[in-house]
Structure formats: structure tokens, C-alpha cells
């Protein structure tokens, strides 16, 4: 069968697909039109960019959409379920990468390493050392985590056991938190955190969860860190808080619109740290995500259930669709 790639994958994934006898359709660009054309004759697609909502109107043979990553907001899951297209993802493969990235964000904020480097080269030893006047330590600070799944758990482990931080967490099942994470309701989480990490999936319930009212509760020196999805924050409220310096700053890896527009106001602030949705991407994590995504694709095309099944309610319809495609 034919497996479309929205973006390149690691060689191990291509080897797995070819060994199973499948043809690979290489990436054909970005944007809805290119993705519709890419999937027109494909039985499966490995997803690394947002698929158009009407994809299935243009992909009559599609049986599987496998996310090369965790968040399935890149896939029109409801439409897939209705049509009998199975959806899978790759949870856990980038857990360490994202957790370590949040730690890197906090260290960059606390120690001003990037600013010291630039000033050391441009202005010399003295001005660069002056940055240490504002340096702080992570030890003893409070880290709040909104969305304590695999990434949040790993982040809490590093922060508490490694840096001796106090860790607060918010999740639906508060009883699932380990002893080193204290449960906090949202108002408490925002009010007490020195660093507040957003690591929740984007769902109708979490869209805009970092609201203007909650941002207003943050400490004047607190930083908001987002490695989830852009729309979990009320963007206008965050921009206003940063502009008025009502919070310490924001370290953002994701945005409402990606790539971040050249004229976006976030680019003009000196109290933000901006990165291009790279928190989960390391050599190790990309190789692991590619491997698992390919294995799940092969599994589905063999007529088996994926291990990381997003829409199991589509199983019966998927069997009918597979028979129609085969005919």
C-alpha cells in the first residue's frame, strides 16, 4: 500500500515501511492543497503538519492517519472516525525531550546565559558580569504544571528531585499525583507559581484555559512557559500582561499562528523567550517517534488495531472501509 509523509521521517521509519512492502509517497510541500494532493492515492499518512479538515473528501483510499508525535489536533479526528479511518499517535517518545526543554527555559530565564554571552562578545567582561546581579536559582522556587501527564510527571521529577523545587500540579484526576507534586486548583496554581509550565493537550476544555483572569493572578516576577499548544493561552491577555510588565515574562515554544508572523507583537518584547515549536525535537526523540509511527502504520495496514488507538470507536467502520478500498 501507499504511505504518504507530510514531512520527512528518519531512515529507520522508511526501512520499516519498505520492509513491510509499502510504497512511500514523499512530502510535496505545505498547505491544504499540497496535503490533499499528497493523500489522494494513499492508504495511510504519517502526520507532522496540520491536515485540512476536508482531507477525507480528497483521500478516498485513506485507512490510517498516524501522528508523528503526541497531539492529534493536527488530524481531523471526528471526520476520520465517521469515515472509518483509524487514528494513532506516539505518546511518550518525546517525554524527556520536552521536559528537559522546559528545564532549559527555566535555567535560561534564571541565569541570563544568552544575554551574558551576547554582551560578553559585544561589550566586554564588565557589562556581561553585571547580568549576574539579576541571576536567581531554581532551588526553592515553585514550579506549577498545568497538565500532569507523561511530560508533566517527568518535568516534576527533574524539578523536585534535581533542583529541589516545590512542585504544584493541576490535572483532572488529582489522586493520580505522586507525593512530590501537590495538587493545586487553577487559581492557586497561577497565583503561587514562580514558573508555570503549560503541558496539557489542546481540547475544547483547555482552549483558553490560561485566561486573562488567571494570568492576572500571577506573581509580578513569574514566567509562563508554554510547550503545549498556542490556543491554550488567551493570547491577547498574555500580550497585554507582557506589555504592561504585570508578569516577569513568557517562554513560548508554540503559538496561535505558526510560524509566528513577522509583525507579531510578541517579537518586540524583551521579556519573552521565543522558540519555533522545537521542544520535543531531539535526535533521539525524532528517531523514536519515526520508528513507532511507522510500526503503527504497518500494524493498521495489516488489519490490526494500533497500540496507541485514538478513535477505537471507528474500528467496525474501518473494517468496512478496508474492504471497499481493497475492492
Amino acid at each position: 500500500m501507499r504511505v504518504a509523509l507530510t514531512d520527512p521521517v528518519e531512515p529507520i521509519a522508511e526501512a520499516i515501511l519498505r520492509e513491510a512492502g509499502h510504497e512511500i509517497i514523499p512530502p510535496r510541500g505545505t498547505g491544504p492543497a499540497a496535503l490533499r494532493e499528497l493523500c489522494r492515492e494513499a492508504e495511510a499518512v504519517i502526520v507532522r503538519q496540520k491536515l485540512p479538515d476536508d482531507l477525507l473528501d480528497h483521500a478516498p483510499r485513506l485507512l490510517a492517519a498516524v501522528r508523528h508525535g503526541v497531539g492529534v489536533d493536527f488530524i481531523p479526528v471526528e471526520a476520520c472516525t465517521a469515515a472509518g479511518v483509524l487514528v494513532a499517535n506516539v505518546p511518550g517518545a518525546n517525554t524527556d525531550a520536552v521536559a528537559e526543554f522546559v528545564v532549559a527555559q527555566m535555567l535560561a530565564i534564571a541565569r541570563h546565559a544568552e544575554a551574558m554571552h551576547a554582551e560578553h562578545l559585544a561589550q566586554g567582561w564588565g557589562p556581561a558580569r553585571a547580568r549576574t546581579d539579576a541571576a536567581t536559582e531554581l532551588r526553592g522556587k515553585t514550579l506549577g504544571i498545568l497538565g500532569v501527564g507523561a511530560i508533566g510527571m517527568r518535568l516534576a521529577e527533574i524539578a523536585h528531585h534535581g533542583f529541589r523545587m516545590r512542585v504544584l500540579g493541576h490535572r483532572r484526576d488529582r489522586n493520580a499525583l505522586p507525593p512530590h507534586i501537590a495538587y493545586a486548583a487553577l487559581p492557586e496554581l497561577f497565583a503561587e507559581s514562580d514558573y508555570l509550565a503549560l503541558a496539557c493537550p489542546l481540547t475544547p476544555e483547555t482552549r483558553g484555559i490560561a485566561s486573562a483572569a488567571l494570568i492576572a493572578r500571577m506573581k509580578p516576577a513569574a514566567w509562563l512557559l508554554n510547550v503545549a499548544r498556542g490556543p491554550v493561552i488567551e493570547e491577547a491577555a498574555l500580550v497585554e500582561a507582557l506589555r504592561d510588565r504585570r508578569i516577569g515574562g513568557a517562554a513560548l515554544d508554540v503559538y496561535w499562528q505558526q510560524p509566528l508572523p513577522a509583525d507579531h507583537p510578541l517579537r518586540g518584547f524583551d521579556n519573552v523567550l521565543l522558540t519555533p515549536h522545537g521542544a520535543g525535537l531531539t535526535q533521539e526523540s525524532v528517531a523514536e517517534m519515526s520508528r513507532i509511527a511507522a510500526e503503527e502504520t504497518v500494524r493498521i495496514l495489516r488489519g490490526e488495531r494500533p497500540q496507541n488507538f485514538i478513535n477505537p470507536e471507528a474500528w467496525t467502520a474501518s473494517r468496512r472501509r478496508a474492504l471497499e478500498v481493497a475492492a
Side-chain angles (χ1 to χ4, degrees), residues 3-29:
V3 179
L5 308 177
T6 67
D7 296 86
V9 296
E10 293 297 294
I12 187 174
E14 293 193 6
I16 290 169
L17 294 171
R18 290 196 172 101
E19 185 177 347
H22 300 306
E23 175 187 345
I24 295 173
I25 305 175
R28 295 182 179 174

Side-chain angles (χ1 to χ4, degrees), residues 5-239:
L5 308 177
T6 67
D7 296 86
V9 296
E10 293 297 294
I12 187 174
E14 293 193 6
I16 290 169
L17 294 171
R18 290 196 172 101
E19 185 177 347
H22 300 306
E23 175 187 345
I24 295 173
I25 305 175
R28 295 182 179 174
T30 60
L35 292 170
R36 293 185 191 106
E37 178 59 25
L38 175 75
C39 296
R40 186 171 56 86
E41 297 295 331
E43 280 81 19
V45 58
I46 295 180
V47 182
R48 295 189 67 181
Q49 58 179 289
K50 175 74 170 67
L51 298 177
D53 291 338
D54 65 350
L55 178 71
L56 296 181
D57 294 336
H58 305 270
R61 301 185 61 83
L62 199 67
L63 302 174
V66 179
R67 177 72 172 96
H68 187 287
V70 181
V72 292
D73 51 303
F74 279 16
I75 299 172
V77 177
E78 289 188 12
C80 286
T81 300
V85 175
L86 301 187
V87 178
N89 69 343
V90 183
N94 64 358
T95 294
D96 285 297
V98 178
E100 290 178 13
F101 192 88
V102 175
V103 173
Q105 288 178 321
M106 292 192 294
L107 288 171
I109 293 162
R111 301 306 297 271
H112 308 285
E114 292 176 87
M116 277 197 289
H117 169 76
E119 291 178 3
H120 190 191
L121 296 180
Q123 301 178 40
W125 183 273
R129 275 183 67 87
R131 284 280 180 177
T132 62
D133 293 343
T136 59
E137 298 177 6
L138 298 184
R139 175 184 55 84
K141 300 298 190 298
T142 297
L143 168 63
I145 304 174
L146 200 169
V148 192
I151 291 168
M153 286 285 192
R154 178 63 178 136
L155 174 59
E157 180 183 31
I158 297 170
H160 178 77
H161 298 300
F163 291 96
R164 290 178 286 171
M165 299 180 77
R166 174 191 181 218
V167 180
L168 302 177
H170 182 88
R171 61 176 292 170
R172 284 176 295 182
D173 183 5
R174 60 184 296 174
N175 296 319
L177 296 175
H180 59 275
I181 305 176
Y183 175 80
L186 286 175
E188 177 189 359
L189 188 78
F190 277 74
E192 296 190 20
S193 298
D194 298 299
Y195 298 93
L196 179 55
L198 307 179
C200 54
L202 177 61
T203 67
E205 293 74 26
T206 63
R207 183 175 292 271
I209 193 170
S211 64
L214 289 174
I215 291 172
R217 298 181 66 92
M218 293 176 66
K219 298 177 181 180
W223 278 67
L224 186 64
L225 319 173
N226 190 10
V227 291
R229 288 290 187 267
V232 303
I233 299 176
E234 282 190 21
E235 187 177 60
L238 176 61
V239 168

